[in-house]
Amino acid sequence: MKAQHLRSPMSILSVSALLAALVAVPVPAHAGLTPAEPTQSPSTSPSTQPEADEESAISDVVLQVGADESSRNLSWMSENSGDGEVRWAKTSELEGSALPEDAHSAETSDSGLSTDLKRHYNHASMTGLEPDTEYSYQVGSEEDGYSAVAQFDTGGSGGDSEFLVFGDPQVGAGGGQPDDATGWDRTLNSGLETAQDPRFFFSLGDQVNSAGDQGQYEQYLAPEATQEVPQATTIGNHDVASKSYEQHFNRPNVSSDHGEGGLVASGGDYWFIDSGVLFININSNDSDTDEHAEFIDEVVAEHGDEARWTVLGFHHSIYSTATHNSDLDVKRLREAIPPVAARNDIDLVVSGHDHIYNRTFLMDAEGKKVESSDAGLEQEKEEGQTMYLTLTSSSGSKFYDYVPGLDWEAKSVHNDIPAFTRVRVSDEALRATTYEVPAEGAQQAEAQAASEQIDDVEITRSGDDAPEPGTDAGADADAEDAAASSDGSSADADSASADADGASAEADSVSAEADGASPEADGTDSSDGSNSADAGTSSDGAESDSDSDSERADSDAATAGTTDNDGTTEAEGATDNDGTTESDGADANAASAAPADSGTTSANSDSAADGGDLPRTGTQLGLPIGLGAGAVIIGAVLLLVSKRRRSLR
């Protein structure tokens, strides 16, 4: 009888509606709470001190930058919700290998059901950190156990410093051949060995290949450095179509009004200050360039005088020398960003997406080369001039073909070898040195010898108009307090957007392209986490550089897509609320020969067909609550009708 009921169309609709209602309304455990002020741990005797449990239910611990130099953010996954905390103390105060009884603690500021519907995500912050100090911390709860104690160093306040920048790790894109998780680990460790105590590392998007694949996130976070060195991330087109990105990364000062995600999509522009540098990150998957411009203008107006330099990061490079440079969404960004960068005197822009290394000349507000700029080491900039760096793959699983003859190219390297960039910061200069990491290179202690320098550029200011003493970030206590306060309010708004990812799996899906682009020649979508067989040639044909501006369906309830702009559709098999099956998976790479003089061996061929713009969706709770309530009512009505129909038979 039950089997007959399930075969009934009305019953199937009823069950589907009720399941949709269960996941439509996000219920984060601590939504709306600001990061807790550090307190001394509750009264615990040495015998009840939380220690790392080999069977701890804690995973995916991530150390991240905070709103300023005196704070660090954390994220982790747990089996249970609520009552999570971070505990920390100076390493010099450890009692053996355990944190002292009077260690500081802060409760989670945000937690909720993970997109895999099995675990819970947790966000918390450590505040009041002192410079030049090594700290130890652990996260967890009495119910879940605690993570192993990990250490990090806050570094100096003011003075010279450095940070690392990595292009697309895109763990999962290689399908194991090559092993991009190993490649990412090798490149990250090589960068950390090459640099001298970097304050943090900066990943420029596409951390994973499939937005909701928890296994790929585990591989991305597998290196020990992700718990010991703070990181900042930019959201890529392969990250956007799931709440997993927002759950795994506890970003500071996230805007609820600029670059936001949606019901089942991640997003949010954000900023932070470190070492006298103002860092601004925008979600370039959101096509509203006016919204991004407003965010950049506001952040620079409020915090620009607290920093010596300004760095802007976003995923979609607008000045690459590979095939994505002709995509419609990239062209739009190339029109919109230079004027904003110029009026805010942004010094350096870093991006990824095109899996090739490129450095531009100094560029002006019209996106044109500054006449006095060349390809040399020393670049003296006037106010309003900006340099743009495109970083290649940091894992080595995918590269794109070189496009010669572009007028913004000062230096391009296209050897199909993973790379990273080391940025050294002083009052006088920003110096960006880029290194390749050959696959046969060693890791850990020998990694520095394995990296090979491929480019070097130093940006200075004309007239060397250094700021007055005491205006650097970190020297102005009031500015730091303001930044910390902003972090709290932004985090509240960001946490209000919770996971509403479907009952069976992530809805990290791709909206169908409506830009006139043909499907790949083989006519099939690639499956999650693997590449389809190379088609030999792209099916784009005459449509390959179409500028037809047809837009994808722009529904606030639809998932933001992750179609890669090489013309392939990503498949993860999730069904959207409107009944359409969308997808998110690996790229299908069409093989094409590189130009004879390009020096590349990549078989990736970009479809220049317009990728279109991702639909904008809001993060407010009104829509999901309304959908949930509606689904409950519809489900109840359908169940009643179904029951009456069965009684009449």
Side-chain angles (χ1 to χ4, degrees), residues 103-405:
H104 296 290
S105 68
E107 294 182 353
T108 53
S109 57
D110 182 25
S111 66
L113 185 64
S114 168
T115 56
D116 62 9
L117 304 179
K118 299 176 182 178
R119 303 177 296 173
H120 292 79
Y121 68 91
N122 303 268
H123 292 173
S125 298
M126 296 178 284
T127 57
L129 304 177
E130 299 176 9
D132 287 316
T133 305
E134 185 178 75
Y135 284 90
S136 296
Y137 74 92
Q138 62 182 171
V139 300
S141 66
E142 293 298 331
E143 189 172 7
D144 288 301
Y146 284 80
S147 64
V149 174
Q151 285 80 36
F152 68 94
D153 196 311
T154 56
S157 178
D160 297 352
S161 64
E162 56 185 275
F163 61 94
L164 293 167
V165 190
F166 297 91
D168 308 31
Q170 204 169 338
V171 173
Q177 297 294 329
D179 184 353
D180 32 39
T182 298
W184 161 238
D185 181 79
R186 179 177 57 245
T187 304
L188 175 58
N189 282 308
S190 183
L192 294 172
E193 290 292 334
T194 301
Q196 296 181 4
D197 298 322
R199 292 192 55 81
F200 68 94
F201 68 87
F202 202 175
S203 178
L204 296 175
D206 286 359
Q207 281 72 222
V208 297
N209 186 63
S210 302
D213 192 313
Q214 300 302 313
Q216 291 176 9
Y217 270 108
E218 290 174 6
Q219 290 181 314
Y220 171 78
L221 297 172
E224 290 185 7
T226 59
Q227 297 184 41
E228 300 170 348
V229 180
Q231 67 174 289
T233 57
T234 293
I235 187 169
N237 55 298
H238 283 263
D239 307 312
V240 69
S242 169
K243 284 295 182 184
S244 289
Y245 175 86
E246 290 184 4
Q247 293 175 2
H248 277 291
F249 300 116
N250 179 14
R251 300 147 296 146
N253 305 319
V254 179
S255 173
S256 60
D257 302 316
H258 305 86
E260 67 269 25
L263 295 177
V264 288
S266 293
D269 298 347
Y270 75 100
W271 64 273
F272 63 97
I273 292 178
D274 192 287
S275 301
V277 181
L278 172 60
F279 295 89
I280 304 173
N281 290 265
I282 62 173
N283 174 15
S284 56
N285 300 284
D286 183 343
S287 62
D288 193 334
T289 54
D290 289 339
E291 191 175 87
H292 296 312
E294 180 180 71
F295 179 76
I296 295 169
D297 289 342
E298 290 179 356
V299 171
V300 172
E302 294 176 14
H303 304 284
D305 59 358
E306 300 169 26
R308 166 63 168 154
W309 304 94
T310 304
V311 174
L312 173 65
F314 53 87
H315 180 64
H316 297 76
S317 171
I318 63 175
Y319 289 119
S320 87
T321 52
T323 47
H324 277 319
N325 80 80
S326 60
D327 293 346
L328 180 59
D329 54 350
V330 171
K331 289 179 179 179
R332 288 173 173 167
L333 284 168
R334 193 156 59 235
E335 292 178 0
I337 293 297
V340 183
R343 69 174 176 255
N344 289 290
D345 195 24
I346 290 173
D347 304 293
L348 180 66
V349 174
V350 288
S351 302
H353 189 51
D354 233 354
H355 298 248
I356 197 169
Y357 174 77
N358 179 70
R359 165 166 59 96
T360 69
F361 302 101
L362 287 173
M363 309 294 283
D364 64 17
E366 297 180 353
K368 297 180 180 178
K369 171 191 171 184
V370 174
E371 289 188 6
S372 60
S373 181
D374 57 28
L377 165 67
E378 298 179 356
Q379 299 296 311
E380 185 179 80
K381 63 166 296 224
E382 302 281 350
E383 184 173 352
Q385 297 174 355
T386 305
M387 180 171 289
Y388 298 78
L389 294 184
T390 303
L391 274 76
T392 190
S393 167
S394 56
S395 62
S397 59
K398 184 171 73 174
F399 297 94
Y400 289 139
D401 291 337
Y402 170 63
V403 177

Side-chain angles (χ1 to χ4, degrees), residues 412-431:
S412 185
V413 180
H414 35 91
N415 297 327
D416 292 0
I417 296 175
F420 65 89
T421 296
R422 172 191 184 190
V423 181
R424 282 163 282 184
V425 182
S426 68
D427 279 347
E428 294 74 32
L430 279 179
R431 183 165 184 170

Side-chain angles (χ1 to χ4, degrees), residues 566-624:
D566 55 9
T568 61
T569 304
E570 326 235 332
E572 196 164 304
T575 301
D576 203 358
N577 291 337
D578 60 4
T580 60
T581 299
E582 301 179 346
S583 51
D584 181 8
D587 289 335
N589 298 325
S592 63
D597 60 348
S598 71
T600 63
T601 57
S602 170
N604 296 78
S605 174
D606 175 67
S607 164
D610 299 332
D613 299 319
L614 295 181
R616 287 188 56 214
T617 52
T619 58
Q620 290 74 18
L621 290 175
L623 181 58

